[in-house]
């Protein structure tokens, strides 16, 4: 009996991509039973099946053989099974946290760039921002979102605040990072699909505005406090553990040392 072949990981797991085979349902069932028996004997642990959309008919067969859903993408579904009977299931869960980033943009007149969204439950002023794209750094997300929503180009300065919130969309957690951004342009060009209003507003006006949430009032006060104490969370490129790339590391630094360097 032919067996499914897959990529073996360092934990003794196997990942099978079913698109390599074109099997009938009965052939798939027979090969799956034989493979599971062999993997059990060999001491393999976590079994992963990547099933593309055009082979979705294999999903109920895997389910009947003890596989459960791990995650799904537009083009495939990943199903898993933990084989050891005497070990706890150590398969990692799928990433469960959204990352949202906002840009706190302050110009030379001590005005802050603020928006009102087109779609809302109640009118309020807030900072431009949105969700990070895969592989995107905090500062890059802030720059992209600010530019898309307001037309203002910016560059990253520091992190002002970080909020960790749970039971967000689809019961996932949410990280919301506010970045101080230096404006590189002045003329506002609003994204009419998302934004109803955008303007430069005096910081004190924003901080005390009745249509600004308590959280955003806290954020602007944190920014003002950082200006007084002359310290902020800045980014540094540090060589990774495997020495194959540089990673972004954020830590508190004195802004005086930066300006004086």
């Amino acid at each position: 009996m032919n067996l499914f072949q897959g990529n073996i990981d360092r934990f003794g797991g196997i990942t099978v991509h079913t698109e390599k085979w074109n099997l009938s349902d009965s052939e798939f069932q027979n090969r799956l039973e034989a493979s599971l028996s062999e993997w059990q004997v060999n001491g393999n642990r976590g079994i992963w099946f990547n099933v593309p959309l055009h082979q979705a008919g294999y999903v109920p067969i895997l389910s009947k053989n003890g596989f459960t859903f791990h995650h799904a993408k537009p083009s495939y579904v990943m199903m898993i099974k933990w084989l050891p009977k005497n070990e706890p299931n150590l398969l990692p869960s799928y990433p469960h946290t959204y990352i949202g980033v906002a840009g706190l943009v302050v110009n030379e007149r001590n005005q802050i760039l603020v928006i009102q969204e087109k779609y809302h439950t109640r009118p309020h002023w807030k900072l431009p921002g949105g969700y990070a794209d895969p592989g995107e750094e905090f500062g890059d997300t802030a720059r992209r979102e600010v530019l898309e929503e307001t037309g203002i180009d910016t560059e990253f300065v520091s992190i002002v605040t970080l909020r960790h919130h749970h039971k967000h969309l689809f019961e996932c957690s949410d990280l919301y990072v506010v970045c101080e951004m230096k404006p590189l342009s002045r003329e506002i060009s609003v994204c009419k699909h998302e934004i109803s209003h955008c303007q430069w507003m005096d910081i004190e006006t924003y901080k005390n505005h009745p249509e600004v949430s308590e959280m955003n009032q806290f954020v602007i006060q944190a920014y003002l406090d950082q200006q007084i104490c002359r310290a902020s969370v800045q980014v540094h490129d540090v060589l990774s553990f495997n020495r194959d790339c540089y990673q972004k590391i954020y830590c508190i630094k004195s802004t005086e040392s930066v300006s004086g360097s």
Side-chain angles (χ1 to χ4, degrees), residues 27-128:
E27 290 172 333
F28 187 89
Q29 172 68 34
N30 292 335
R31 183 170 298 196
L32 179 61
E33 289 179 352
S35 298
L36 287 172
S37 297
E38 182 72 13
W39 293 332
Q40 194 85 52
V41 171
N42 292 342
N44 294 111
R45 303 165 83 209
I47 309 300
W48 304 72
F49 265 74
N50 182 305
V51 184
L53 189 61
H54 69 274
Q55 292 181 325
Y58 294 156
V59 169
I61 301 174
L62 287 163
S63 176
K64 290 178 182 178
N65 284 270
F67 283 79
T68 58
F69 292 115
H70 184 265
H71 67 273
K73 294 284 189 174
S75 61
Y76 74 89
V77 62
M78 184 71 80
M79 300 187 71
I80 56 175
K81 182 173 183 176
W82 182 253
L83 295 185
K85 304 296 184 183
N86 57 348
E87 294 181 38
N89 187 338
L90 300 178
L91 293 177
S93 63
Y94 194 64
H96 49 72
T97 301
Y98 285 89
I99 299 177
V101 185
L104 197 161
V105 186
V106 180
N107 64 17
E108 70 280 0
R109 297 179 180 178
N110 216 32
Q111 296 172 319
I112 185 171
L113 184 66
V114 295
I115 63 168
Q116 284 190 339
E117 293 176 319
K118 187 174 182 180
Y119 304 101
H120 54 73
T121 55
R122 59 183 174 87
H124 61 284
W125 291 101
K126 58 174 289 188
L127 305 174

Side-chain angles (χ1 to χ4, degrees), residues 7-235:
N7 301 321
I8 302 176
D9 60 45
R10 62 192 177 99
F11 302 104
I14 297 178
T15 300
V16 176
H17 292 262
T18 64
E19 64 183 355
K20 296 179 180 179
W21 294 274
N22 184 20
L23 304 173
S24 67
D25 287 357
S26 59
E27 290 172 333
F28 187 89
Q29 172 68 34
N30 292 335
R31 183 170 298 196
L32 179 61
E33 289 179 352
S35 298
L36 287 172
S37 297
E38 182 72 13
W39 293 332
Q40 194 85 52
V41 171
N42 292 342
N44 294 111
R45 303 165 83 209
I47 309 300
W48 304 72
F49 265 74
N50 182 305
V51 184
L53 189 61
H54 69 274
Q55 292 181 325
Y58 294 156
V59 169
I61 301 174
L62 287 163
S63 176
K64 290 178 182 178
N65 284 270
F67 283 79
T68 58
F69 292 115
H70 184 265
H71 67 273
K73 294 284 189 174
S75 61
Y76 74 89
V77 62
M78 184 71 80
M79 300 187 71
I80 56 175
K81 182 173 183 176
W82 182 253
L83 295 185
K85 304 296 184 183
N86 57 348
E87 294 181 38
N89 187 338
L90 300 178
L91 293 177
S93 63
Y94 194 64
H96 49 72
T97 301
Y98 285 89
I99 299 177
V101 185
L104 197 161
V105 186
V106 180
N107 64 17
E108 70 280 0
R109 297 179 180 178
N110 216 32
Q111 296 172 319
I112 185 171
L113 184 66
V114 295
I115 63 168
Q116 284 190 339
E117 293 176 319
K118 187 174 182 180
Y119 304 101
H120 54 73
T121 55
R122 59 183 174 87
H124 61 284
W125 291 101
K126 58 174 289 188
L127 305 174
Y131 287 117
D133 288 338
E136 199 171 42
E137 303 290 346
F138 295 146
D140 295 334
T141 302
R143 182 184 182 187
R144 174 180 55 78
E145 287 289 340
V146 170
L147 185 62
E148 289 176 359
E149 294 182 353
T150 72
I152 301 294
D153 194 13
T154 58
E155 65 179 9
F156 176 83
V157 177
S158 69
I159 288 179
V160 180
T161 59
L162 185 151
R163 181 202 68 192
H164 196 193
H165 172 66
H166 304 287
K167 294 189 179 297
H168 191 59
L169 293 175
F170 308 111
E171 295 297 307
C172 292
S173 298
D174 178 69
L175 286 178
Y176 179 70
V177 182
V178 178
C179 299
E180 179 187 357
M181 306 294 290
K182 178 182 177 181
L184 302 178
S185 58
R186 297 182 179 180
E187 294 300 319
I188 292 173
S189 178
V190 174
C191 173
K192 296 181 180 179
H193 298 293
E194 299 182 60
I195 309 302
S196 60
H197 298 89
C198 177
Q199 68 178 71
W200 293 102
M201 183 182 292
D202 289 338
I203 285 184
E204 286 299 319
T205 302
Y206 179 79
K207 189 176 73 168
N208 299 293
H209 200 291
E211 292 183 354
V212 172
S213 69
E214 288 82 356
M215 190 198 78
N216 278 318
Q217 290 173 347
F218 180 93
V219 168
I220 196 62
Q221 186 59 56
Y223 165 77
L224 295 173
D225 292 343
Q226 290 175 13
Q227 305 308 300
I228 295 172
C229 69
R230 297 185 180 276
S232 63
V233 178
Q234 299 160 25
V235 64

Side-chain angles (χ1 to χ4, degrees), residues 232-249:
S232 63
V233 178
Q234 299 160 25
V235 64
H236 303 269
D237 291 320
V238 179
L239 194 61
S240 68
F241 175 80
N242 291 326
R243 296 180 173 273
D244 56 356
C245 67
Y246 281 87
Q247 300 174 332
K248 301 292 185 184
I249 304 295

